[in-house]
Amino acid sequence: MKLGELSTDETAAQLAGAGLALETGPFAVNLRCAAPGAAAFIRLLYPEHRVATGEVVHTDVAVRPHFNRRRPWRREAQLHIDDRPLMQALPRRFAAPMLEWGLNFAIGSRAHHLLILHAAVVEKNGRAVVMAAVSGSGKSTLCAALVSAGWRLFSDEFGLIRPADGALMPVPRPVSLKNESIEVVRRLMPAAVISPPYHDTAKGTLAYLRPPDDAVRRQFEPAMPAWIVFPKFRAGAPLTATPVPRAQAFADLLANSMNYIALAERGFAAMARLVESCPAFALEYSDIPAAIAHFEGLAAGETAA
Amino acid sequence: MADPAGAGLLRALREPAAMAGFEPALWNLVLPRARNAGLVGRLGVRAEAAGIAAALPERVRDMLVAAEAVAATHDRMIRFEVGRIRRALDGTGIGFTLLKGAAYVLGGLKAARGRLVSDVDILVARERIDEVERRLIEHGWRQEKTSAYDQRYYRDWMHELPPLRHRGRMTVVDVHHNILPLTGRLRIDAAKLLAAARPVEGLDGVTILAPADLVLHNVVHLFQDGDVNHGLRDLADLDDLLRHFGPEPGFWSALAARTAELGLGRPVNYALRHAAALLGTPIDPALRAAVGRTAAPPPIDRLMQALLGRALARSGQPAPDLPTRLAREALYLRSHWLRMPPVMLAGHLARKGAMQFLPERQGV
């Protein structure tokens, strides 16, 4: 059953009760949150995702009201992973996005059966591009822009590599947009569904872009990586794509890996295979249409990267 | 009070083949509990050994594989750290004996597989401990506990130095000169432990505790030290140790002799009974009978059985119920009672109680 087929009341009842088990790519996670607005948030962003009731889940993510003993007047919420508190309690108005942060934590810190890169991944014609970069480099914005141009969303946050064959696994979830990029994406995709903004988070204003239905329906279709890109947004800069030598690409990806060490030889083999099978380049850009055009050129095989 | 998560975890450890028939709802209780108890990797190892790993649901397999990957990382880290400690002590002629997790890893014991090891515990001769500490500090480790009280607590009363953390790698070495506190009711002559320790092949100067002593250290830690937070993990270690060494000729009689020699009959009695009851550990009947004779008077013995049974079976329960919390508290107090004389204990607990209400500071 798809989540969108549940009514808001039913969704809220499950979230407030034993939890709503949600499948996203190779993960199933049980979500629990009784805060008002959580059901609407989840229904808005995950309508095409399958509800995995009665199945094994990887992790339980719960957001619960938190009583601050020193400041009892504050209305706070606390994130719990498998019933253990994680991070500081936050204002209760962040309860719904805290579910997203919990999901990120659950994937990034637990999925050691896969090599995890901190990267956005999109695919066209069966070939995927891995965009690895630290937060704040415009990775999510560029990812959303490519999605608006018809690229299939794998993730704006996790490049998940299956060690057995080096394939990238999709985990299409809401794209987190920060500050100015919310308006940028709204202009690029006038029909897109974007959550209400959450102001004054640690990263400023946050809003979530619903993943395209097609990306969710095809969430079990992996793809082989074809390009590695290290994007960097720099205001006013003309678009440049500078080839990155393999050894350098390996080192830069390593800095963006969440569990390379834990995977040991399997991690090395997967990383080596990635840099040997794909050209890598550093992309500096400021104009989004120009960046999209560059990627379209790659997909069409016109641009030598 | 029913605790299906705990019951399921015990069943999985006791009869690994039963995991093949676990329903998803039971997995969703057992896996978080196992994770909080530090036992997911162990479940993977046991499922593999029972030949049923392939029959488990895919998502369960994912998590077992992930946990084993983390455990393997710890294994590599331990081997590396042992090499670095050797390097720090190079030229001093000081040998060291590995304890607990590091001993299981370097000894190639089954108990090491799938286990998480965070610190390296070593035992050295007491008269060389200052030199060991100085060497480690020269080689990049440093003191974590800097308050004067903590320093005194460890140095004057305990059986180990305050933890030393490496400033680059952030790994911790606990340097022991004994396996029980200096101030406690039970005393052990550490020279006997060092004398019986077995060499580690290829690593001159590094030894691991003899099998009987490895077992006794586990028992002392769990049933004397009051550290029941990882109680079930430690009991699973004991289970693995006894299953591993049990078939070795002479092991049980050596363990019986060592237990009597070191006066550890009572904690061994508790440990063996719980291992057998909760995990089905095979135990030599002669040893069981011998330590049974050293049991506490019946009312105290029954109380201890109840407290330990509760605390162990509920290991890793995130929000323990009242009886479990009381059992944990009682065992914690008991461990301190055994660790130091009453007046010293009163002062220590009063101070620890007061510290909760004060902001963190140093040098008190």
Side-chain angles (χ1 to χ4, degrees):
Chain A
M1 182 188 227
K2 285 179 188 173
L3 199 145
E5 293 169 32
L6 289 174
S7 71
T8 306
D9 285 351
E10 261 176 306
T11 310
Q14 289 197 18
L15 282 169
L20 180 79
L22 189 75
E23 181 181 53
T24 170
F27 305 106
V29 179
N30 192 51
L31 301 175
R32 292 189 285 163
C33 180
F41 178 86
I42 293 294
R43 268 174 55 83
L44 181 75
L45 298 172
Y46 288 92
E48 283 293 312
H49 282 75
R50 196 172 67 84
V51 177
T53 308
E55 297 172 23
V56 176
V57 294
H58 288 89
T59 307
D60 182 85
V61 174
V63 176
R64 301 206 183 96
H66 176 77
F67 177 72
N68 186 328
R69 267 187 291 183
R70 291 190 185 173
R71 297 175 183 82
W73 59 90
R74 283 200 187 168
R75 290 164 52 78
E76 295 186 336
Q78 171 77 57
L79 178 60
H80 293 256
I81 304 289
D82 288 335
D83 278 326
R84 296 256 159 143
L86 181 82
M87 311 194 311
Q88 265 186 307
L90 294 170
R92 212 170 290 179
R93 65 197 165 88
F94 295 141
M98 281 168 88
L99 289 171
E100 278 296 305
W101 305 337
L103 266 158
N104 285 344
F105 176 85
I107 295 171
S109 66
R110 295 276 174 79
H112 306 312
H113 54 298
L114 304 167
L115 176 64
I116 311 172
L117 301 176
H118 188 220
V121 178
V122 292
E123 172 263 349
K124 197 161 215 178
N125 303 332
R127 299 199 292 168
V129 51
V130 177
M131 294 184 283
V134 292
S135 300
S137 54
K139 161 172 69 79
S140 290
T141 316
L142 186 55
C143 173
L146 289 169
V147 168
S148 78
W151 290 67
R152 173 158 72 109
L153 174 70
F154 273 41
S155 171
D156 74 319
E157 183 81 16
F158 295 113
L160 302 174
I161 297 174
R162 189 162 60 187
D165 60 359
L168 286 159
M169 313 292 287
V171 51
R173 291 180 37 225
V175 176
S176 81
L177 304 173
K178 285 147 222 133
N179 304 315
E180 306 82 46
S181 80
I182 301 170
E183 271 318 302
V184 171
V185 172
R186 219 186 278 282
R187 277 199 302 275
L188 277 168
M189 310 170 76
V193 176
I194 298 178
S195 79
Y198 295 90
H199 300 289
D200 305 318
T201 73
K203 291 179 174 175
T205 299
L206 271 182
Y208 291 89
L209 167 71
R210 174 158 118 197
D213 291 351
D214 176 62
V216 180
R217 287 194 205 105
R218 295 173 63 197
Q219 63 175 330
F220 304 111
E221 265 179 54
M224 294 310 285
W227 306 277
I228 301 160
V229 179
F230 300 102
K232 186 161 179 46
F233 175 87
R234 194 159 64 87
L239 186 137
T240 53
T242 315
V244 175
R246 278 172 191 174
Q248 185 63 46
F250 193 110
D252 290 350
L253 287 171
L254 204 137
N256 281 292
S257 170
M258 300 182 178
N259 65 349
Y260 175 80
I261 300 286
L263 266 69
E265 293 94 332
R266 286 186 305 146
F268 177 81
M271 199 76 101
R273 180 178 189 148
L274 177 64
V275 297
E276 279 172 6
S277 61
C278 308
F281 54 93
L283 183 82
E284 200 171 73
Y285 72 100
S286 57
D287 182 45
I288 294 223
I292 294 175
H294 182 79
F295 280 90
E296 294 292 353
L298 288 178
E302 290 161 9
T303 316
Chain B
M1 223 176 299
D3 175 32
L9 177 56
L10 288 175
R11 176 129 192 263
L13 290 167
R14 201 169 48 230
E15 322 162 38
M19 283 188 269
F22 278 17
E23 297 292 327
L26 183 55
W27 277 121
N28 287 340
L29 293 172
V30 169
L31 282 169
R33 177 66 66 86
R35 199 173 274 141
N36 288 335
L39 283 165
V40 182
R42 193 83 56 122
L43 291 184
V45 170
R46 293 198 172 192
E48 200 72 56
I52 53 119
L56 299 177
E58 189 185 352
R59 292 181 190 142
V60 174
R61 287 206 311 273
D62 289 347
M63 286 180 274
L64 299 183
V65 168
E68 284 191 57
V70 174
T73 307
H74 288 217
D75 190 294
R76 289 193 300 277
M77 183 274 280
I78 293 290
R79 290 173 189 278
F80 184 84
E81 288 299 317
V82 168
R84 290 300 151 126
I85 297 167
R86 264 185 97 213
R87 188 183 283 186
L89 298 182
D90 193 34
T92 59
I94 303 175
F96 60 96
T97 299
L98 301 172
L99 307 174
K100 300 196 250 186
Y104 306 156
V105 169
L106 275 290
L109 293 164
K110 256 195 329 191
R113 287 200 52 212
R115 186 186 194 274
L116 302 177
V117 184
S118 44
D119 306 346
V120 178
D121 294 272
I122 64 171
L123 178 70
V124 300
R126 194 170 183 208
E127 60 273 16
R128 306 299 293 271
I129 199 165
D130 293 335
E131 198 178 346
V132 170
E133 182 181 19
R134 197 175 63 242
R135 279 288 187 136
L136 290 173
I137 288 170
E138 281 168 14
H139 283 79
W141 281 268
R142 61 184 172 196
Q143 290 289 349
E144 284 253 286
K145 308 244 180 189
T146 47
S147 87
Y149 184 84
D150 281 337
Q151 287 287 332
R152 185 162 155 245
Y153 174 81
Y154 277 96
R155 287 174 197 280
D156 296 351
W157 300 345
M158 289 299 112
H159 48 301
E160 57 189 309
L161 294 176
L164 289 162
R165 189 182 289 276
H166 193 276
R167 62 168 182 262
R169 302 191 299 276
M170 304 308 282
T171 48
V172 171
V173 183
D174 285 325
V175 183
H176 303 243
H177 57 76
N178 204 325
I179 61 173
L180 278 180
L182 297 172
T183 49
R185 311 275 197 286
L186 275 174
R187 305 279 171 91
I188 291 176
D189 180 1
K192 289 182 178 171
L193 303 175
L194 291 170
R198 295 179 173 182
V200 176
E201 212 179 307
L203 293 178
D204 284 346
V206 184
T207 53
I208 64 173
L209 284 183
D213 292 335
L214 270 183
V215 168
L216 291 176
H217 188 208
N218 168 293
V219 167
V220 158
H221 182 65
L222 179 52
F223 292 86
Q224 205 74 20
D225 252 2
D227 184 4
V228 287
N229 294 333
H230 300 289
L232 194 54
R233 188 204 66 187
D234 291 341
L235 198 70
D237 284 347
L238 179 64
D239 178 61
D240 276 327
L241 285 170
L242 293 176
R243 286 177 197 271
H244 180 86
F245 290 121
E248 267 187 25
F251 167 72
W252 291 105
S253 54
L255 180 57
R258 201 64 156 169
T259 302
E261 182 190 351
L262 300 177
L264 292 171
R266 205 174 277 187
V268 168
N269 183 36
Y270 293 133
L272 296 185
R273 274 152 73 187
H274 281 98
L278 296 175
L279 301 175
T281 313
I283 311 257
D284 175 57
L287 176 62
R288 205 170 166 154
V291 294
R293 285 190 288 276
T294 66
I300 294 177
D301 188 58
R302 273 199 298 277
L303 175 65
M304 272 303 287
Q305 290 294 347
L307 293 175
L308 285 167
R310 181 114 205 152
L312 288 171
R314 304 291 167 105
S315 262
Q317 193 176 34
D321 51 35
L322 186 64
T324 307
R325 287 208 305 275
L326 289 175
R328 285 185 190 171
E329 280 301 313
L331 290 170
Y332 177 76
L333 285 175
R334 170 182 174 271
S335 74
H336 276 72
W337 174 250
L338 295 171
R339 183 178 284 192
M340 49 183 96
V343 176
M344 192 188 267
L345 175 63
H348 179 65
L349 292 180
R351 196 172 182 290
K352 282 188 89 160
M355 285 299 286
Q356 291 178 7
F357 299 99
L358 297 172
E360 285 196 24
R361 63 212 162 124
Q362 297 191 330
V364 180

